[in-house]
Amino acid sequence: MADRIKVFPLAVLGTMVLFGLLVWWAVARAKAAEPKVAGPDDPQFSEKPSSAPPGTARGTKIQAPPSPSVEAPPPAKDPGEKILEGADRAFETEYYETALMFYRDFELRYAGTETYDRHARRVFERIHTSAAKMTKKDETLPAYLESRRRAADEWKRLRPFLSAAPTESSRAELQKYLEGLPPKDGRRSIIAAWLTPGGGEK
């Protein structure tokens, strides 16, 4: 009997400990299931490891990557190209009087330039076509065009002289050619520059 009395408190104590562990385990599970409210000690409020590249001092603001470079606008077309664009628009919309005026202006003022050389054939063709399609004919145009064509052919012969220094004979030929050109002819300034001391086409 005495042995049973001694064992009884130990059994009660063991049962209470086991019950306490079960209660603690149930409470712990319940707390784990509850949504957690972040507190000041929460790791998410602690300083995050720096993602800066190695060698960057802490606290240094990381620069944003440069924005994609914007391409520069294409170079503006030279005035001769713009005149031709206007002439082409007038020609294509059948405003032949306006087209003829623009083509003649281009042929005169830009003669001798690279732009002229690229478009000369088309310009002469469209001058002829515009003149033929106009309701009011210009009787002076055929003679004018013939003189301009002769000037263009002569220019092809004389232009190689411009790549060398003037000689007595080349100077005389270019001077004579210059005197026969109309006042606004684009070749006048090219020849005048060549005739000055130290001149010559670059």
Side-chain angles (χ1 to χ4, degrees):
M1 186 72 178
D3 292 338
R4 286 184 181 177
I5 293 172
K6 289 180 182 178
V7 171
F8 181 74
L10 293 174
V12 172
L13 180 63
T15 304
M16 290 181 66
V17 168
L18 182 62
F19 181 74
L21 287 172
L22 287 172
V23 171
W24 175 83
W25 179 77
V27 171
R29 281 197 60 174
K31 283 188 176 181
E34 290 178 4
K36 186 176 180 183
V37 178
D41 296 330
D42 197 288
Q44 72 181 14
F45 291 111
S46 64
E47 186 176 352
K48 294 183 179 178
S50 174
S51 59
T56 305
R58 179 171 289 191
T60 304
K61 186 174 180 181
I62 300 173
Q63 299 294 327
S67 58
S69 59
V70 179
E71 290 186 13
K77 292 181 179 176
D78 65 61
E81 292 281 1
K82 290 182 179 179
I83 291 174
L84 278 181
E85 282 182 2
D88 289 340
R89 279 195 297 270
F91 184 87
E92 287 156 10
T93 52
E94 300 183 2
Y95 286 93
Y96 297 115
E97 290 84 354
T98 305
L100 178 62
M101 178 185 70
F102 278 126
Y103 286 127
R104 283 185 61 169
D105 182 56
F106 172 82
E107 193 281 323
L108 178 66
R109 292 202 295 149
Y110 292 91
T113 65
E114 290 182 10
T115 306
Y116 176 93
D117 293 341
R118 286 197 303 272
H119 302 288
R121 183 184 181 88
R122 179 168 61 88
V123 168
F124 273 108
E125 287 175 355
R126 290 203 165 180
I127 287 175
H128 281 287
T129 305
S130 298
K133 290 181 178 287
M134 287 191 321
T135 51
K136 185 179 179 181
K137 305 300 179 185
D138 183 353
E139 302 299 333
T140 65
L141 188 60
Y144 173 81
L145 287 178
E146 183 57 31
S147 69
R148 295 303 294 165
R149 194 175 295 280
R150 283 199 306 269
D153 291 342
E154 185 68 2
W155 177 247
K156 289 177 184 176
R157 185 183 70 82
L158 295 174
R159 188 164 192 169
F161 292 148
L162 301 178
S163 55
T167 63
E168 189 174 335
S169 61
S170 64
R171 183 186 294 274
E173 286 202 63
L174 266 299
Q175 185 66 47
K176 181 181 178 182
Y177 179 77
L178 176 64
E179 290 167 1
L181 293 175
K184 293 183 180 179
D185 192 296
R187 292 171 281 233
R188 294 184 67 88
S189 60
I190 299 171
I191 297 169
W194 179 78
L195 289 171
T196 57
E201 191 175 57
K202 302 291 187 274

